[in-house]
Amino acid sequence: MSRPSGNTIAVGIDFGTTYSGVAFSCSTRIERIEVISTWDSQHINADLEKTPTSLAYDDDGNLLWGHAIPFDLKQLRLPEETRKSTNLKESRGLLQKLNLTTIEAITIYPRELSLHADDRISKSLGYSLVHESRFNVIITLPAIWPTYAQDRMMEDAREAGILDSRAGGETQLTFISEPEAATLATLTEMALDNRCDLENGDTFVVADCGDGTADLISYEMVNTNPMRLRECVRVEGNLCGAIFVDEKFTELLKHKLDVRRWNKMPDHVHHRLVTNEWEGSMKKQFDGKQRQWRIQIPYECLHDEIELGEALPKVMITSDDVEATLKKVTGQILKMVDNQIRGIVKKKGCGPKYLILAGGFGRSRYLHNALKNHVGRTECILTTVHRWIAISRGAVLHAARYSGNYRLSADVQARISRASYGVLCDARWDGEIHDYRDKVWNKILQCWVAENHPEWFQRINTVVESAAVVKYEYQRHYSLDGVAPRVIKGEIYMSKASTPPKRSKDPSVHKLCTIKWDVKVDIASLPTWTNPIGKVYHRLDFTIQMTTSGGYLDFVIYHRGKRQGSQHVVVEFK
């Protein structure tokens, strides 16, 4: 039996497109965040704050992941969001070879990452404390992912064992958008530094430039002490990840070395070249200034061209080569920043004070300089030494906020609704409001109704306070001699139309999710209700409550004032 110890361990998991990371903290010292930097590895200098988001199997069928994969093994890269990437085609072929489905592969990696994290957290805090503590896990998701992605990740986490029971109590799992997590981490650092250059009304653009995606959200400062922000402008952008930069550099290397020589090299030599020469050097170090890099041509592609003992020839990579590799994706990010700034100017009458750069590609000096030169009066600042791990650190801070155990020195107070959310109901007919095509006779209520009329309880582009709770009351009627269903369903609908439509048949109206409640209620104990012609029904009243947490939606059901346990309520996103 669970016996809560009073300790909560907050764990932030950043599942990145190319790299993943984990940060954690104990509730009694939340701002002392630790980041896992010790991994099983086949490589030198792998004590980094992240590990590759990849899987492989060796010749003996042993599972390897992250840094533990040797260069000479084909790697399965997991996320599918970079759909135009050649890596995706290779991954699909490798899935077939390994006899794995995509779902199985996506479940395996979180499980291995979670087990490793559990071991490292136990070594850091002590096994007894970890065993007796409750876990509050936050998983980060790109801001542009659809809402149903959290359902997919919830199922993956469950299959991976992240939600397994612990002696300290039930594990909580929720989500936060990556740019909001980066914002929490960055602004918390700024708050702790007691900066005097921040004023109420200041606006910020947070650019989370990851290796697979680029997400931007703007915030307005509403209080400086403690820091409280509200989402100001949300302009959704297209995927434009640095993973395409890596592929472009690979094509450059292939051309420089000569395709014939390139094809002679084993895959692990390709991988080693790109990792050492590009990832570890040029990609981060290039700042736009003229310089050259000399890369030694590997012996594996020259063994029939040179004599033993002869010096290996080199190829030259110029600044123009590197700039051509980085320019396209950098240009896409600049356009996204322009969209955000235009939105802020339209709303506030002036541009943002700061552009905060975070994420893996955010470490690029070239990107930083390009943004600095592009944004004019707006100052472009980095998230200091923590910018590569800002997302997992911010997730830990959100975990503390979500659990209610800690008041943050910087927090997001309100967000802009990404869509209109509501339900479909049979509303009593009103000829001035409803469409005649929806008019039907309701036998239970004994009146004319507008069938499946949308009732929007949250509208698009409205400001939603973090503490705001949206409730919708449901009723179900059952005949006295009828059989009560074992599962009650409630459906939530959404629309991204600029004006929420009045009919459910509008093409912008889509089902967001179905909330299934495994009813543990004696139907005979329910109150009765008599309709206008004297027929008596049992009436079941319940409430569906929606809250916004970290930019994502949570749903719970209440009956007779009591929250129904998560084991009896399932939310299935469409």
Side-chain angles (χ1 to χ4, degrees):
M1 178 178 292
S2 297
R3 79 185 157 82
S5 65
N7 286 101
T8 299
I9 297 174
V11 182
I13 302 177
D14 171 19
F15 284 127
T17 304
T18 53
Y19 287 91
S20 294
V22 181
F24 65 94
S25 182
C26 191
S27 62
T28 58
R29 46 179 181 150
I30 189 62
E31 286 176 330
R32 290 179 58 190
I33 298 174
E34 297 187 50
V35 178
I36 292 176
S37 60
T38 303
W39 312 94
D40 295 335
S41 176
Q42 288 277 340
H43 314 304
I44 299 173
N45 297 326
D47 285 345
L48 302 171
E49 295 93 345
K50 289 190 178 184
T51 190
T53 311
S54 52
L55 293 171
Y57 286 88
D58 63 19
D59 294 338
D60 297 324
N62 297 312
L63 172 67
L64 302 171
W65 63 282
H67 287 300
I69 303 175
F71 284 143
D72 59 346
L73 281 184
K74 281 276 191 181
Q75 297 188 24
L76 179 65
R77 304 200 175 199
L78 299 178
E80 287 192 273
E81 297 309 306
T82 49
R83 297 187 183 280
K84 296 180 181 178
S85 167
T86 57
N87 284 334
L88 178 59
K89 297 176 183 177
E90 294 175 3
S91 293
R92 284 174 174 164
L94 190 55
L95 278 171
Q96 293 178 346
K97 184 177 179 181
L98 297 175
N99 195 29
L100 287 174
T101 67
T102 303
I103 299 296
E104 289 171 334
I106 291 176
T107 300
I108 290 171
Y109 185 85
R111 183 179 67 235
E112 296 300 319
L113 185 67
S114 175
L115 289 172
H116 181 80
D118 208 48
D119 178 67
R120 300 312 306 174
I121 293 171
S122 296
K123 284 182 169 64
S124 176
L125 300 178
Y127 284 92
S128 58
L129 175 66
V130 170
H131 178 71
E132 297 292 339
S133 295
R134 182 180 182 183
F135 271 55
N136 195 344
V137 179
I138 306 293
I139 295 177
T140 66
L141 297 176
I144 59 175
W145 274 22
T147 307
Y148 62 75
Q150 71 183 71
D151 185 51
R152 168 70 174 271
M153 285 303 300
M154 179 73 78
E155 186 58 33
D156 290 343
R158 186 176 289 109
E159 292 292 328
I162 293 174
L163 297 182
D164 288 354
S165 60
R166 296 175 178 271
E170 182 180 358
T171 297
Q172 279 190 321
L173 173 64
T174 190
F175 303 92
I176 185 173
S177 71
E178 290 175 355
E180 182 168 323
T183 301
L184 284 178
T186 304
L187 271 297
T188 295
E189 288 183 7
M190 295 173 75
L192 294 175
D193 289 340
N194 294 316
R195 293 178 61 133
C196 60
D197 57 341
L198 303 175
E199 299 176 355
N200 290 344
D202 286 347
T203 53
F204 307 82
V205 176
V206 180
D208 169 31
C209 302
D211 290 308
T213 59
D215 297 329
L216 283 79
I217 296 182
S218 301
Y219 296 94
E220 177 184 3
M221 183 79 72
V222 294
N223 191 7
T224 57
N225 188 22
M227 280 192 191
R228 292 294 177 261
L229 311 173
R230 99 172 65 201
E231 193 174 321
C232 177
V233 174
R234 178 190 291 272
V235 180
E236 294 189 356
N238 294 322
L239 289 170
C240 76
I243 190 170
F244 299 108
V245 170
D246 300 343
E247 292 178 4
K248 194 170 179 63
F249 180 78
T250 300
E251 289 300 313
L252 171 67
L253 265 185
K254 189 185 298 185
H255 172 74
K256 290 280 186 177
L257 293 173
D258 183 271
V259 174
R260 180 179 56 84
R261 286 175 173 173
W262 180 268
N263 291 336
K264 284 183 180 181
M265 282 191 287
D267 289 338
H268 71 275
V269 180
H270 296 162
H271 191 165
R272 188 181 69 218
L273 268 177
V274 173
T275 300
N276 294 343
E277 305 294 346
W278 176 244
E279 289 280 355
S281 177
M282 297 178 224
K283 184 177 174 182
K284 291 183 290 186
Q285 294 177 2
F286 177 61
D287 59 4
K289 297 178 182 178
Q290 288 295 320
R291 61 170 296 187
Q292 297 174 343
W293 294 264
R294 296 181 181 275
I295 298 178
Q296 184 172 284
I297 301 177
Y299 174 77
E300 288 86 345
C301 66
L302 293 171
H303 59 83
D304 58 351
E305 300 180 24
I306 62 171
E307 297 292 335
L308 187 64
E310 185 179 343
L312 296 176
K314 298 179 180 180
V315 296
M316 184 181 298
I317 305 294
T318 68
S319 296
D320 290 341
D321 292 328
V322 178
E323 186 166 22
T325 301
L326 297 172
K327 199 167 187 178
K328 183 177 180 180
V329 167
T330 299
Q332 290 176 326
I333 294 173
L334 294 182
K335 287 181 180 179
M336 294 173 71
V337 170
D338 281 342
N339 289 338
Q340 290 284 329
I341 291 178
R342 279 196 295 269
I344 292 174
V345 171
K346 182 178 179 180
K347 186 170 184 176
K348 299 279 296 178
C350 60
K353 188 169 189 176
Y354 289 118
L355 169 64
I356 298 172
L357 195 58
F361 191 47
R363 297 179 294 169
S364 165
R365 297 179 185 177
Y366 178 79
L367 175 62
H368 178 260
N369 290 342
L371 285 167
K372 185 177 179 180
N373 295 331
H374 186 76
V375 297
R377 294 183 179 180
T378 299
E379 186 174 351
C380 180
I381 63 175
L382 302 175
T383 57
T384 66
V385 296
H386 298 307
R387 61 187 179 276
W388 197 34
I389 54 172
I391 293 173
S392 58
R393 289 172 58 85
V396 171
L397 293 169
H398 176 64
R401 170 180 64 186
Y402 186 79
S403 66
N405 291 334
Y406 195 85
R407 184 171 177 82
L408 301 180
S409 52
D411 203 358
V412 177
Q413 182 173 300
R415 303 171 185 83
I416 296 174
S417 179
R418 300 171 67 177
S420 297
Y421 301 100
V423 297
L424 303 185
C425 62
D426 289 349
R428 287 186 177 271
W429 177 258
D430 184 334
E432 295 183 1
I433 298 176
H434 302 131
D435 192 299
Y436 73 93
R437 290 170 292 181
D438 299 329
K439 185 177 182 179
V440 298
W441 180 256
N442 187 296
K443 294 181 179 180
I444 295 178
L445 299 179
Q446 287 292 299
C447 66
W448 292 101
V449 298
E451 186 178 42
N452 292 328
H453 174 71
E455 192 165 307
W456 304 108
F457 49 69
Q458 184 170 303
R459 293 175 176 260
I460 192 170
N461 291 328
T462 56
V463 176
V464 181
E465 298 291 330
S466 293
V469 174
V470 177
K471 297 180 179 180
Y472 189 79
E473 307 292 336
Y474 280 83
Q475 289 184 349
R476 295 286 189 269
H477 297 94
Y478 304 102
S479 300
L480 296 183
D481 56 353
V483 178
R486 295 302 304 161
V487 176
I488 302 293
K489 296 180 181 180
E491 296 174 335
I492 307 295
Y493 287 79
M494 66 176 289
S495 170
K496 289 200 171 184
S498 56
T499 301
K502 297 180 179 180
R503 298 191 70 222
S504 61
K505 291 182 172 59
D506 185 282
S508 73
V509 178
H510 304 283
K511 185 192 295 185
L512 172 68
C513 64
T514 300
I515 304 169
K516 296 182 177 179
W517 174 28
D518 179 14
V519 185
K520 301 296 181 184
V521 176
D522 179 10
I523 205 74
S525 68
L526 295 175
T528 59
W529 172 79
T530 305
N531 76 359
I533 61 173
K535 187 166 182 180
V536 181
Y537 295 88
H538 284 297
R539 191 179 76 189
L540 174 64
D541 298 291
F542 63 97
T543 302
I544 291 182
Q545 177 178 297
M546 182 182 85
T547 56
T548 302
S549 171
Y552 287 88
L553 304 177
D554 286 333
F555 296 95
V556 295
I557 288 181
Y558 283 85
H559 173 61
R560 291 177 174 170
K562 294 183 179 179
R563 175 173 174 165
Q564 302 302 294
S566 58
Q567 69 272 27
H568 299 304
V569 178
V570 176
V571 181
E572 295 179 351
F573 286 86
K574 182 170 171 52

